[in-house]
Amino acid sequence: MVSFQGEDFAVGFVGGIAFTLILAGIASVTVLRMTDRYGLGHWKLNIGTPLKSMWMNVGYWKNEQGEPVQDFEEACLGLLKEVVKASGILDKDATKDTPPRSLAILDLGFGCGDQTWELARLAQQGGYLDFQYVGLTLNEAQVQSAQRRIYREVAGADACELKTDSFKMFCANAAKPETWSPQVTEAVESLADEKFTGTWLLALDCLYHFSPSRKPVFKYAANKLDAQVMVFDLLLNETASMRDTLIVRAVGVMMGCPVRTFLTETAYKDQLVECGYDRRSIKIHDITGDVFSGLVKFLDRQDKALGEYGISLGGFKLAQRLFDWFARSKVVRAVTVVAHTKGKSS
Ligand SMILES: *[C@@H]1O[C@H](CO)[C@@H](O)[C@H](O)[C@H]1NC(C)=O
């Protein structure tokens, strides 16, 4: 009886495997048939990798000559340059007859390496001999992608003073410093070393996602690092109607942001002061006119261009509508913010 049952089992087992293989075969043939050999699906085989860039921010759609920018990469880099320009770290006066300068940056929500690398290059061109960078992101795939990019760039650049150990990138929740691992905390705190002529907190187009709020990391930066702030952020227009304010709050919640994430300019300044920044040092510069409308036009062009290959922009189309509403209603303001701690502003 026992052996008979065993045979039964073996037959069932082999039969099961055979059945699975047949099903898999049918599925593969179906997929192969469905793949339209004479369509446009082979665009995937025709794009060069690694991709030239993997930027992701709303962009600054005006170049240094004041002309409109057409290209996403250029606009994203432009936004980084606007924030860096506002901070004054590259001002020529500051580079005069000083001992070799060194710059420490804590970059929150840093992306896939483009921002990291461009910032390092700007610092190098600006006369900084030493550059130390710590980036935090919530996404492990972005850490990997950024690390690959930095290794490639450092290896490929000739006469490059930048070394890979100048860059430390981690997967960590930048909004909650108390959750950082000892390794992350140690790397971040190393940026407060007195040898640096400047320690800065950078956040490009991500702070409104910070939950519960921006406060924990601002407090940490001011008190633990004595770090100055340079960010791109979105503010609520103080004269926006009740209706628009409610809509924009709802949109924020749908994007996964805290309900009160969009603050008026006054509330934003109060928050920075509460966290340890000097009120007189806070500089808020409105760049709304060079952000949303340019992005909307670009998304439109990109949608048409990709459409020729049968590729859809997908979720970015919804984003386009949203930015279009931002541009027309002026309910949200795009700004650069710079703030200094009490120790450094005098
Ligand atoms: C705020 O909104 C009002 C009304 O929509 C608009 O006229 C004004 O220009 C906006 N202010 C800013 C600073 O964007």
Side-chain angles (χ1 to χ4, degrees):
M1 283 301 265
V2 173
S3 78
F4 182 69
Q5 270 183 356
E7 230 167 72
D8 230 14
F9 174 76
V11 169
F13 187 70
V14 171
I17 289 181
F19 184 65
T20 310
L21 286 177
I22 291 168
L23 268 192
I26 293 173
S28 312
V29 170
T30 315
V31 166
L32 281 176
R33 295 228 159 185
M34 270 167 35
T35 309
D36 185 359
R37 264 161 298 168
Y38 306 111
L40 302 171
H42 53 282
W43 63 266
K44 284 178 193 167
L45 309 182
N46 284 275
I47 50 171
T49 56
L51 294 179
K52 211 158 108 263
S53 69
M54 274 291 281
W55 280 102
M56 184 68 238
N57 66 47
V58 288
Y60 183 74
W61 297 88
K62 189 170 80 180
N63 67 16
E64 274 152 32
Q65 288 74 47
E67 296 150 353
V69 165
Q70 308 292 324
D71 179 58
F72 187 61
E73 187 181 345
E74 189 185 343
C76 289
L77 174 57
L79 193 70
L80 174 67
K81 286 184 174 166
E82 274 303 296
V83 170
V84 169
K85 193 172 84 187
S87 77
I89 57 168
L90 300 182
D91 289 354
K92 282 289 169 243
D93 279 356
T95 57
K96 253 192 296 174
D97 60 51
T98 40
R101 301 185 311 151
S102 51
L103 182 64
I105 301 268
L106 173 61
D107 190 357
L108 313 180
F110 64 88
C112 293
D114 304 273
Q115 185 167 309
T116 308
W117 184 246
E118 293 298 343
L119 187 68
R121 291 206 333 174
L122 287 173
Q124 212 184 15
Q125 288 159 11
Y128 287 94
L129 289 184
D130 189 15
F131 178 76
Q132 195 67 45
Y133 176 96
V134 175
L136 305 180
T137 171
L138 277 178
N139 189 297
E140 183 58 37
Q142 295 203 345
V143 175
Q144 306 289 337
S145 173
Q147 269 164 352
R148 281 194 297 267
R149 171 77 192 267
I150 295 303
Y151 284 133
R152 271 203 311 275
E153 293 290 358
V154 170
D158 29 274
C160 180
E161 317 239 317
L162 294 159
K163 293 175 210 70
T164 48
D165 53 8
S166 298
F167 304 90
K168 295 199 178 79
M169 290 164 278
F170 299 99
C171 190
N173 187 346
K176 295 180 178 162
E178 75 280 5
T179 65
W180 296 347
S181 70
Q183 193 197 8
V184 172
T185 308
E186 192 193 322
V188 171
E189 282 177 2
S190 75
L191 300 175
D193 195 310
E194 298 207 330
K195 74 175 182 182
F196 295 112
T197 16
T199 298
W200 286 81
L201 175 129
L202 168 69
L204 203 60
D205 196 15
C206 62
L207 281 175
Y208 45 88
H209 284 290
F210 278 34
S211 177
S213 74
R214 300 166 181 83
K215 276 189 208 168
V217 76
F218 277 163
K219 272 191 187 140
Y220 183 94
N223 302 320
K224 284 264 165 67
L225 307 177
D226 196 19
Q228 321 311 309
V229 161
M230 56 165 142
V231 302
F232 169 84
D233 212 338
L234 300 179
L235 297 182
L236 185 66
N237 181 340
E238 347 229 329
T239 60
S241 68
M242 183 69 113
R243 176 179 154 270
D244 283 353
T245 306
L246 283 177
I247 297 176
V248 86
R249 291 219 188 285
V251 165
V253 170
M254 280 189 281
M255 280 158 53
C257 307
V259 183
R260 303 219 149 256
T261 202
F262 297 115
L263 302 173
T264 61
E265 181 168 333
T266 316
Y268 202 100
K269 283 185 178 165
D270 288 347
Q271 172 186 264
L272 280 167
V273 172
E274 187 193 328
C275 295
Y277 288 91
D278 180 4
R279 187 177 294 276
R280 288 166 311 158
S281 75
I282 303 174
K283 282 194 232 106
I284 295 189
H285 181 51
D286 196 304
I287 55 172
T288 313
D290 298 314
V291 171
F292 300 126
S293 59
L295 177 60
V296 170
K297 283 183 205 143
F298 165 74
L299 287 170
D300 197 44
R301 284 196 302 278
Q302 189 72 352
D303 189 38
K304 291 203 174 86
L306 291 179
E308 291 187 10
Y309 299 95
I311 307 168
S312 161
L313 269 190
F316 291 108
K317 272 192 200 162
L318 187 65
Q320 183 192 14
R321 292 227 189 106
L322 179 66
F323 294 129
D324 192 33
W325 179 62
F326 282 179
R328 283 182 292 108
S329 67
K330 298 201 164 78
V331 57
V332 161
R333 300 171 55 198
V335 294
T336 60
V337 183
V338 170
H340 293 266
T341 54
K342 297 211 172 76
K344 293 279 169 75
S345 57
S346 47

